[in-house]
Amino acid sequence: MAEIYPFPKTAEEQEAERQLTEAMHTLNAAIKHAAQCGFEIELRPGTWSFASYTRTPVPYVDLTARLPGRQKPLEFVEI
C-alpha cells in the first residue's frame, strides 16, 4: 500500500491555525474563570450559512454568561 504524504501548510494556513488555537485557549480559560466566579454559562452552537468565502456553513458558538439572580435582557453579539 502506498504511503500518503500530506501537503505542507502554507504560512497563512499555519497562522490561521495558530490564531484559532490561541483563541480557543483564551475562550476556555475565560469560561473556566467565569464559572469559578459564579456565572452560569450557556453555550449554543450555530452556523453562518451566509458566508461568502466557503461553500459549507461556518460554525460559531453563541455564549451567554449570567450571574444567578441577576437577569438582564438578552443581547445578541456576533463573535
Side-chain angles (χ1 to χ4, degrees):
M1 184 173 214
E3 290 190 41
I4 299 173
Y5 296 100
F7 289 104
K9 294 177 185 159
T10 65
E12 185 178 20
E13 291 168 338
Q14 290 174 359
E15 179 61 14
E17 184 177 49
R18 185 196 66 73
Q19 286 180 356
L20 190 56
T21 300
E22 182 180 322
M24 288 306 303
H25 285 276
T26 302
L27 178 63
N28 288 338
I31 291 171
K32 180 180 178 182
H33 183 73
Q36 290 170 340
C37 291
F39 281 84
E40 294 175 347
I41 310 295
E42 182 182 348
L43 293 171
R44 290 181 304 272
T47 55
W48 281 317
S49 58
F50 52 85
S52 60
Y53 41 83
T54 179
R55 291 179 187 203
T56 58
V58 177
Y60 73 92
V61 175
D62 184 19
L63 171 68
T64 304
R66 290 183 291 278
L67 284 171
R70 297 188 205 174
Q71 293 296 357
K72 182 180 173 187
L74 293 177
E75 295 180 24
F76 294 99
V77 182
E78 286 188 13
I79 300 177

